[in-house]
Amino acid sequence: MLYYSTNKNSAKVDFREATIKGQAPDKGLYFPERIPQLDKTFLKEFKNKSKAAIAFEVIKPYVGNCIADDDLYQICEHTSNFDFPLVKITDSISSLELFHGPTLAFKDVGARFMSRCLGYFSKDNKREITVLVATSGDTGSAVANGFLGVEGVKVVILYPSGKVSKIQELQLTTLGQNITALEVQGTFDDCQQMVKQAFTDAEVNEKIFLTSANSINVARWLPQQFYYFFALQQWRHDEPPIISVPSGNFGNICAGLIAAVSGLPIKHFVAACNNNNAFVNFLATENFVAQPAVATISNAMDVGNPSNFVRVLELFTHDFKKIKNFINAYSIDDNETRKTMARVFEQHHYLLDPHGAVGFASLEKYLQVHVESKGMFFETAHPVKFENVVSEATGVPVTIPSALQQLLHLHKTSVSLNANYQELKDYLLA
Ligand SMILES: *Cc1c(COP(=O)(O)O)cnc(C)c1O
């Protein structure tokens, strides 16, 4: 399998090079040159297979011969070795809980897969690799956790000061070793912009071997297909589900769209957004206008210019009608998010985090006009990651799991930067 750049001005590369490079030299995103079609027998039988076996079969065509089968299988086992339960909340709505990994958010899946791949590829690399990543909250901790102690790899994380939750911040500023956190006085979009600029800065790239670990990177993005399969494994209705995905950078939903285009039976997608509604407006007007990020209580989705939007276009060959027929999008504001958390707890005794609440509320809106349908939303983070917001909205204290208790006693270590590319450059070259 080869990957081309969405800007179409860079050479095609294989999985290894796409993973090591992160972004294409022409600033485009790498995209698989064809979408593999799932085998009919596999589609009949995958419900009885192990998670690792499914993951291996799904990802193998994308990896090609870049990783030996035995090693790839082990990476798949490591990536999927926690639970992904589908929990029924109402007759028509279930929650796919994606927060049972080590940092309590779905990004553990992509980060674990990518860190193992990069570790594999860096074995025969003489130069140290620096993973440079911007985070709106959960990427940073998942990537830091995945890469902690991986030899030959250094991790530099940019996060927007004051715009991530306390637990998120502690998760990414207390690890030490090969992990450094840069606290940027700006928004997530500023962080993302600074990272993007570093990737295209010739001087920096000559001196440092840089790669990204955002969903820009195919090794982070593509394994996010796995849990759509795990979801379908547990789906007990004849009719395929509607899947509502809390979306910010659109990596998660775009992975699901790829799985669907390969043949996984999903009836329809709902892009669940907060007040950052560039995609919602796009579906309404056919015009995509990037916007400055707005801060909300579902902060991991505070993205005004989603990187993976271009991949959605590419997947549907820029055919607006096709996109509109397969995806609905809703914008849920903070007030409605809070009310949803309160109501779902009161009526169904289920504690949502703010991102899951946006997913739930969006799915409800879709089902109000498609009353016969049933669906699921992705609960993308554990409510404890946003304990203040959740307990305030529901009146219920969120108990902190013991694994996180000790985190609260650790000291944050970060390097403060202004939202200014030169400062990042100086730091990297120092
Ligand atoms: C990152 C994140 C999202 C958004 O996912 P994208 O792939 O960026 O669309 C949603 N919820 C949580 C909890 C996240 O960490």
Side-chain angles (χ1 to χ4, degrees):
M1 170 78 78
L2 292 179
Y3 295 81
Y4 64 87
S5 163
T6 51
N7 282 351
K8 316 234 159 79
N9 270 321
S10 296
K12 289 184 185 174
V13 298
D14 63 7
F15 179 78
R16 179 181 190 277
E17 212 174 328
T19 299
I20 292 176
K21 281 214 169 91
Q23 197 170 12
D26 65 2
K27 305 188 195 182
L29 268 58
Y30 283 119
F31 197 84
E33 64 177 352
R34 67 192 162 78
I35 306 300
Q37 292 304 298
L38 294 160
D39 194 89
K40 291 244 158 54
T41 348
F42 172 78
L43 280 173
K44 242 186 244 152
E45 292 169 0
F46 81 92
K47 291 201 174 183
N48 303 317
K49 293 193 181 214
S50 72
K51 294 196 298 278
I54 293 173
F56 177 81
E57 191 124 355
V58 169
I59 208 71
K60 171 72 189 162
Y62 292 96
V63 174
N65 295 324
C66 294
I67 299 179
D69 281 359
D70 286 354
D71 294 299
L72 183 60
Y73 197 89
Q74 270 179 24
I75 293 174
C76 288
E77 264 178 336
H78 171 77
T79 302
S80 60
N81 70 356
F82 44 87
D83 292 334
F84 299 82
L86 184 66
V87 178
K88 188 175 162 185
I89 300 184
T90 74
D91 278 344
S92 55
I93 298 184
S94 301
S95 166
L96 185 76
E97 294 184 348
L98 296 176
F99 56 71
H100 296 279
T103 71
L104 312 182
F106 80 91
K107 294 196 173 75
D108 280 324
V109 173
R112 282 160 88 76
F113 187 84
M114 185 193 157
S115 59
R116 291 293 163 118
C117 290
L118 207 56
Y120 182 90
F121 295 141
S122 72
K123 274 189 300 209
D124 38 45
N125 227 331
K126 298 279 174 298
R127 288 174 77 191
E128 180 182 69
I129 297 181
T130 298
V131 173
L132 185 64
V133 62
T135 184
S136 55
D138 293 322
T139 297
S141 46
V143 167
N145 192 282
F147 281 99
L148 184 65
V150 173
E151 258 177 63
V153 182
K154 204 175 121 182
V155 178
V156 177
I157 301 164
L158 281 77
Y159 73 97
S161 181
K163 295 190 175 66
V164 304
S165 80
K166 184 175 170 201
I167 286 189
Q168 285 176 323
E169 183 170 42
L170 287 171
Q171 281 181 325
L172 55 94
T173 56
T174 57
L175 288 167
Q177 295 187 48
N178 55 334
I179 315 293
T180 307
L182 303 182
E183 183 172 0
V184 175
Q185 308 303 319
T187 63
F188 169 66
D189 282 345
D190 293 327
C191 298
Q192 186 152 267
Q193 198 49 48
M194 288 161 77
V195 165
K196 278 187 182 161
Q197 209 169 332
F199 284 119
T200 54
D201 184 323
E203 190 189 349
V204 167
N205 285 276
E206 199 176 293
K207 297 202 169 117
I208 308 173
F209 197 141
L210 273 189
T211 191
S212 77
N214 288 99
S215 47
I216 287 173
N217 195 302
V218 293
R220 237 292 308 272
W221 171 52
L222 289 169
Q224 297 183 147
Q225 294 178 78
F226 297 164
Y227 39 75
Y228 288 84
F229 290 81
F230 307 158
L232 266 286
Q233 259 191 320
Q234 302 169 71
W235 185 248
R236 295 283 170 259
H237 306 281
D238 295 334
E239 178 105 328
I242 314 298
I243 300 189
S244 169
V245 187
S247 294
N249 237 337
F250 279 66
N252 194 357
I253 194 168
C254 192
L257 292 166
I258 281 232
V261 171
S262 335
L264 186 68
I266 296 168
K267 194 173 161 200
H268 198 81
F269 281 84
V270 171
C273 301
N274 57 27
N275 267 351
N276 295 277
N277 53 9
F279 188 80
V280 181
N281 292 340
F282 165 71
L283 284 192
T285 63
E286 203 175 336
N287 245 331
F288 182 78
V289 185
Q291 288 155 6
V294 196
T296 74
I297 56 170
S298 45
N299 64 30
M301 314 196 304
D302 293 351
V303 183
N305 187 11
S307 318
N308 289 288
F309 173 67
V310 52
R311 283 189 170 132
V312 176
L313 290 179
E314 207 65 27
L315 183 61
F316 293 100
T317 58
H318 295 251
D319 184 336
F320 179 72
K321 262 214 191 104
K322 274 195 199 153
I323 297 173
K324 196 158 162 104
N325 283 339
F326 204 38
I327 314 173
N328 273 57
Y330 301 96
S331 169
I332 308 294
D333 66 19
D334 280 354
N335 190 27
E336 200 173 347
T337 305
R338 287 198 180 88
K339 279 190 184 152
T340 305
M341 287 190 278
R343 179 165 55 85
V344 170
F345 185 75
E346 209 178 283
Q347 294 176 352
H348 310 291
H349 307 285
Y350 190 83
L351 206 53
L352 292 164
D353 98 293
H355 306 79
V358 171
F360 184 99
S362 300
L363 181 56
E364 252 185 344
K365 284 192 196 300
Y366 181 85
L367 295 178
Q368 269 162 15
V369 279
H370 299 87
V371 285
E372 300 298 319
S373 297
K374 294 184 195 305
M376 68 180 78
F377 66 95
F378 285 178
E379 179 42 293
T380 46
H382 193 294
V384 77
K385 289 194 103 168
F386 308 93
E387 46 146 350
N388 287 345
V389 178
V390 173
S391 55
E392 215 179 277
T394 58
V396 195
V398 190
T399 32
I400 299 184
S402 53
L404 283 187
Q405 287 282 0
Q406 33 174 286
L407 198 60
L408 299 176
H409 305 294
L410 297 179
H411 272 293
K412 136 179 167 186
T413 309
S414 68
V415 177
S416 183
L417 290 191
N418 288 310
N420 171 325
Y421 174 65
Q422 191 59 43
E423 290 195 22
L424 174 62
K425 183 168 177 168
D426 293 344
Y427 173 81
L428 290 172
L429 296 181

